[in-house]
Amino acid sequence: MKKHLKSYTIILIGSLLYALSFNLFFAPNQVAVGGITGLAQVINAWVPLVPVGMAIIFMNVPLFLVGWKMLGFHLLASSLFSMAVSSAAIDGLELLYQFPPMDPMLACLCGGAMMGFGLGVVFSQGATTGGTDIVARLLKLRFPWLPLGKLVLIPDATVLVLAMLAFGQVESGLYGGIALFISSKVMDKVLYGLDESKVAFIISDCRKEIAGRLLREQNRGITILHGEGAYMRTEKHVLMLAFKQKEIVAIKRLVKELDEGAFLIVCDAHEVLGEGFSPFQGEEL
């Protein structure tokens, strides 16, 4: 119960951030939003009597039925909660206070960042806000190697075109495209990039000394890979280790101290799972 309460509290915060970003940055400046929220924007522009939040709920029903069958009960329950909170907050904020317009570029930059952060927080708990977020999760099952932020962009492009027609200006869709791009980048950063892990490959004749110092001083596991130099055909041993971004300076200094001629390759690593890093989750995004 405590675990579920914590998860739903996080979903609540992410959903409220999503709603606030829409009311504060997108709605007053007629900047298009992708997905079901964008379609609700279009419907509201054509039929002002239909609130955006209410339109979101009605259009989400068939998508939730599909998501339930393919993604399970946890997605349905947590996503229904997120959709209800975000939709009610969008209409509630609209009734309480109408935010004034601002510079459209500033709106799409700040709005995209806030919306992406809110969505990333919701997605991190295995939920969605509904709409094309569910479509993105379904696409994730088919294309698991693609980041979720990029998958969200696929169904959103069509909505931007409809928004251009609804608002009667191309700028609405173009600003919306910028906002969606920023949103997807922030979302992926929240989901995949917070640990900022690295992987190092070290080729050196002093591999035993380097490995021993790294084990003692950095407390990181090391894997020895066996290889062969292509030119001299001599046997080579490659040390491979994963570590946090903050450890990179100490590791580089250690390698240089023991062997100035060592060949060191450092690469970015995402979703490093295992001891000393993130634990494996049953429902990965």
Side-chain angles (χ1 to χ4, degrees):
M1 180 63 69
K2 186 176 180 181
K3 180 181 178 181
H4 285 296
L5 182 60
K6 178 182 177 182
S7 178
Y8 275 81
T9 301
I10 295 173
I11 292 172
L12 174 66
I13 294 171
S15 302
L16 291 175
L17 285 174
Y18 178 87
L20 180 61
S21 67
F22 177 81
N23 285 75
L24 177 58
F25 296 110
F26 293 97
N29 298 283
Q30 291 191 330
V31 175
V33 182
I36 292 296
T37 304
L39 283 176
Q41 245 186 323
V42 172
I43 293 173
N44 179 256
W46 285 334
V47 188
L49 292 177
V50 180
V52 173
M54 189 64 66
I56 292 173
I57 293 175
F58 280 119
M59 287 188 288
N60 266 311
V61 171
L63 287 174
F64 272 114
L65 292 176
V66 174
W68 178 29
K69 285 186 172 294
M70 298 188 68
L71 297 173
F73 176 76
H74 173 71
L75 173 78
L76 178 68
S78 57
S79 297
L80 276 172
F81 174 75
S82 178
M83 181 201 66
V85 170
S86 59
S87 300
I90 286 174
D91 287 347
L93 286 172
E94 179 69 19
L95 291 174
L96 292 173
Y97 182 74
Q98 294 186 350
F99 293 95
M102 64 177 69
D103 178 73
M105 181 57 73
L106 186 62
C108 73
L109 292 175
C110 296
M114 181 182 285
M115 183 169 284
F117 184 81
L119 287 173
V121 169
V122 172
F123 286 173
S124 70
Q125 301 303 306
T128 79
T129 56
T132 51
D133 301 346
I134 291 182
V135 176
R137 288 291 299 270
L138 295 175
L139 289 173
K140 183 73 173 175
L141 295 178
R142 181 65 179 84
F143 306 103
W145 60 89
L146 290 176
L148 201 64
K150 289 183 174 62
L151 290 172
V152 171
L153 290 175
I154 295 174
D156 284 343
T158 305
V159 178
L160 292 181
V161 176
L162 292 174
M164 292 181 192
L165 298 175
F167 295 131
Q169 50 185 5
V170 177
E171 290 85 350
S172 294
L174 296 179
Y175 282 130
I178 296 173
L180 282 175
F181 177 78
I182 294 172
S183 176
S184 70
K185 290 296 183 182
V186 174
M187 186 194 313
D188 283 341
K189 193 67 176 176
V190 172
L191 290 172
Y192 309 117
L194 291 179
D195 59 352
E196 295 185 335
S197 299
K198 301 284 185 181
V199 171
F201 297 92
I202 306 168
I203 304 173
S204 170
D205 293 331
C206 303
R207 63 183 183 278
K208 292 183 179 179
E209 293 84 352
I210 293 175
R213 289 276 299 275
L214 288 172
L215 286 169
R216 290 194 304 272
E217 298 178 16
Q218 300 301 319
N219 195 28
R220 288 295 180 190
I222 299 171
T223 300
I224 299 177
L225 308 177
H226 298 274
E228 181 181 298
Y231 182 70
M232 298 295 294
R233 298 294 180 184
T234 54
E235 184 181 9
K236 295 289 184 181
H237 293 85
V238 183
L239 305 180
M240 184 187 75
L241 71 152
F243 57 95
K244 298 290 187 178
Q245 169 70 36
K246 62 184 179 181
E247 301 172 83
I248 188 170
V249 175
I251 290 174
K252 290 168 71 174
R253 284 177 179 170
L254 187 152
V255 173
K256 183 180 180 181
E257 176 188 336
L258 295 176
D259 183 5
E260 289 194 359
F263 197 72
L264 173 64
I265 304 171
V266 178
C267 310
D268 291 328
H270 300 287
E271 294 187 273
V272 180
L273 307 177
E275 186 176 352
F277 294 91
S278 302
F280 177 78
Q281 301 294 332
E283 295 187 6
E284 285 295 322
L285 294 173

